[in-house]
Amino acid sequence: GEWINPAEIEALVAALPQVSLAAVIGRLHPKWGERPVLVVQTRDGDVSDETLLSPLRSRVAPWWIPDAVIRLEAMPLAATGKIDKSRLRAEYGRA
């Protein structure tokens, strides 16, 4: 499989003024094993997938572009205050 850097994708999307928090998780995929999925908490709920993914198109390899965008009203946080990616994977990491 191809290596994908979730932190780089997260940083590019989180830099958008409409985004409060962004996380990238792997979702099971029958052909590739896993594919990236973007999970976001937006400042205003009406942000298109294209707006969220457009900063990636000229900056990352095409196979890094997430297959789906999931919007959450509140991103789950761990006790440390960081995004709880384990919880996101458990909830959204299956096809």
Side-chain angles (χ1 to χ4, degrees):
E2 297 288 340
W3 179 76
I4 295 173
N5 184 346
E8 189 171 342
I9 296 169
E10 292 163 355
L12 290 167
V13 174
L16 291 168
Q18 303 95 321
V19 175
S20 299
L21 295 169
V24 174
I25 59 167
R27 178 182 278 173
L28 294 177
H29 188 278
K31 182 176 181 180
W32 303 110
E34 277 189 339
R35 288 286 305 143
V37 173
L38 175 64
V39 184
V40 295
Q41 177 182 320
T42 60
R43 295 184 198 285
D44 61 33
D46 194 21
V47 182
S48 71
D49 288 1
E50 183 54 35
T51 298
L52 294 168
L53 298 175
S54 65
L56 305 176
R57 301 210 188 276
S58 63
R59 294 187 177 107
V60 302
W63 61 86
W64 283 29
I65 305 294
D67 286 354
V69 176
I70 298 168
R71 291 163 183 78
L72 301 180
E73 286 187 26
M75 189 75 73
L77 301 178
T80 61
K82 293 183 177 183
I83 295 171
D84 189 344
K85 285 196 174 183
S86 294
R87 191 166 152 199
L88 290 176
R89 280 188 213 93
E91 204 162 326
Y92 304 104
R94 290 174 177 74

